[in-house]
Amino acid sequence: QVQLVESGGGLVQTGDSLRLSCAASGLTFGSYAMGWFRQRPGKEREFVAAISWSGDNTHYGDSAQGRITISRDNATKTVYLQMSSLKPEDTAVYYCAAKPSLRDWVLPAPHEYDSWGQGIQVTVPS
């Protein structure tokens, strides 16, 4: 079965950078669209970034604001989320998600994904 394991989270300071990783197993990774979502305290899960199976197409949510880059390495079955200039409002649990895709497109909505990681906490104190 598909397993997604996030890593790289933790406690950082305002203005710091952080790279989250999501290691995938149990799937033909190169055929999957991947996404990152986050859930801030008391808020609904929100879209952060998505990448197509080739990596050629990416899409970002409003929260990215030019500070976030999604990328993937199909050889190692890993998707990354590079975040910079972190702010307290970036404090959230970040989730990786996967969906098999017939086309090389991005999927920005949570309901489009059928596999999720357990989530990883990122905390930026105010």
Side-chain angles (χ1 to χ4, degrees):
Q1 81 231 35
V2 176
Q3 279 198 308
L4 303 172
V5 180
E6 299 97 338
S7 62
L11 176 67
V12 296
Q13 301 304 309
T14 297
D16 283 353
S17 296
L18 195 65
R19 187 176 79 161
L20 303 181
S21 300
C22 173
S25 61
L27 74 169
T28 305
F29 187 72
S31 300
Y32 275 67
M34 302 295 295
W36 283 98
F37 295 81
R38 71 182 187 184
Q39 190 160 16
R40 292 183 284 173
K43 304 287 187 180
E44 304 234 330
R45 192 168 297 190
E46 65 176 320
F47 171 67
V48 177
I51 189 166
S52 65
W53 50 254
S54 72
D56 288 344
N57 301 305
T58 58
H59 183 61
Y60 295 93
D62 293 341
S63 60
Q65 300 173 340
R67 302 179 295 118
I68 292 177
T69 302
I70 188 171
S71 62
R72 65 189 294 159
D73 184 338
N74 286 350
T76 61
K77 299 184 179 181
T78 306
V79 62
Y80 301 99
L81 191 71
Q82 179 70 49
M83 302 187 288
S84 62
S85 302
L86 284 162
K87 309 172 185 179
E89 49 264 45
D90 293 316
T91 294
V93 177
Y94 285 75
Y95 297 90
C96 171
K99 170 72 176 179
S101 178
L102 292 177
R103 296 192 174 192
D104 195 30
W105 53 26
V106 292
L107 303 173
H111 71 266
E112 295 175 294
Y113 291 87
D114 47 28
S115 297
W116 291 83
Q118 80 287 351
I120 192 157
Q121 179 70 46
V122 173
T123 302
V124 189
S126 55

